[in-house]
Amino acid sequence: MDKFRRSAAMIREARLPYLSIHSVEPAPETALLRVHTAAYLDKIRTGSLDSAEAVKLGLPAGEALLLRSRLEVGGTLAALDAALADGLACNLGDGTHHAFADRGLGYCVLNDVAIAIRTLHTSKPGARIAVIDTDAHQGNGTHGIFAADDRVFTYSIHVGKNYPAHKPPGRLDVELPPLRPRNRLPGTTGTHARPSARRFCTRPRFLDRRCRSPRARPLRPDAPHRCRHGLP
């Protein structure tokens, strides 16, 4: 997509002395298999998705798509290493949070964040990791992949009446109304995520439960938002 090239060009033109952009290699198959099934990867590689799977993915499957997706994952793996070394890093073309282990949805082929987390867990199996997802759509794939993994705190703040239609619960989900011009969001991300993440980091278990949070304050009296989270 052109937006990624334009973003990189803007950063380079800024000539910030403390920031650099690096090229990456495609993620190896061994890394992909830490999250995705071999059968699903083969379907993408050979372009053998059935008609329903192809419509749900929204992209033409084939070797070219798999290579592009492996490069996205490679960027996230490189960002992970850089962040651990330097304290902060990002991938300009990532965040494919609709991809499940055995299927791709909503233009997301490989779940790069999930692959990075599983890769880190190979060397640091006890690491407790928080995924803070601020996209307008719920991170359903990431939620699904880590539903049974107590080491991963999955947080998504998104528009409630939006894709995907089925939203599997994560550790913490905040559903917002559709934004209109002049709407102002309070500090919702910090209000909900910080205390929940602290409890996640200090407790050996973090149980999933749907509830109405006392911290889920409405944006307007006529537009409440819902908060589903795993706090007991």
Side-chain angles (χ1 to χ4, degrees), residues 12 76 92 136 210 217:
R12 289 192 175 97
T76 301
L92 291 178
R210 290 191 180 191
R217 293 173 296 186

Side-chain angles (χ1 to χ4, degrees), residues 70-217:
R70 288 174 57 206
L71 282 166
E72 291 174 346
V73 175
T76 301
L77 292 174
L80 169 66
D81 291 339
L84 291 173
D86 302 328
L88 178 67
C90 70
N91 181 4
L92 291 178
D94 65 341
T96 44
H97 58 173
H98 297 312
F100 285 77
D102 60 351
R103 63 193 186 279
L105 300 174
Y107 310 108
C108 297
V109 181
L110 305 172
N111 195 309
D112 61 299
V113 171
I115 293 170
I117 291 172
R118 287 275 168 82
T119 297
L120 181 62
H121 277 156
T122 62
S123 59
K124 300 179 182 295
R128 296 171 72 77
I129 299 167
V131 179
I132 309 300
D133 190 332
T134 60
D135 189 77
H137 307 106
Q138 191 221 36
N140 56 334
T142 310
H143 282 2
I145 290 168
F146 293 112
D149 194 333
D150 288 338
R151 300 170 297 177
V152 181
F153 173 84
T154 52
Y155 168 74
S156 179
I157 180 169
H158 50 268
V159 178
K161 292 182 179 180
N162 204 355
Y163 180 90
H166 173 63
K167 297 177 175 63
R171 300 294 185 182
L172 175 60
D173 280 287
V174 177
E175 296 184 352
L176 301 174
L179 288 179
R180 297 178 176 86
R182 301 185 182 180
N183 266 17
R184 295 184 62 191
L185 290 176
T188 309
T189 302
T191 299
H192 298 92
R194 276 196 292 268
S196 301
R198 286 195 195 101
R199 295 187 68 172
F200 166 76
C201 292
T202 58
R203 298 185 58 164
R205 292 187 62 80
F206 200 80
L207 304 177
D208 287 320
R209 183 186 300 172
R210 290 191 180 191
C211 70
R212 186 172 294 276
S213 169
R215 290 188 300 276
R217 293 173 296 186

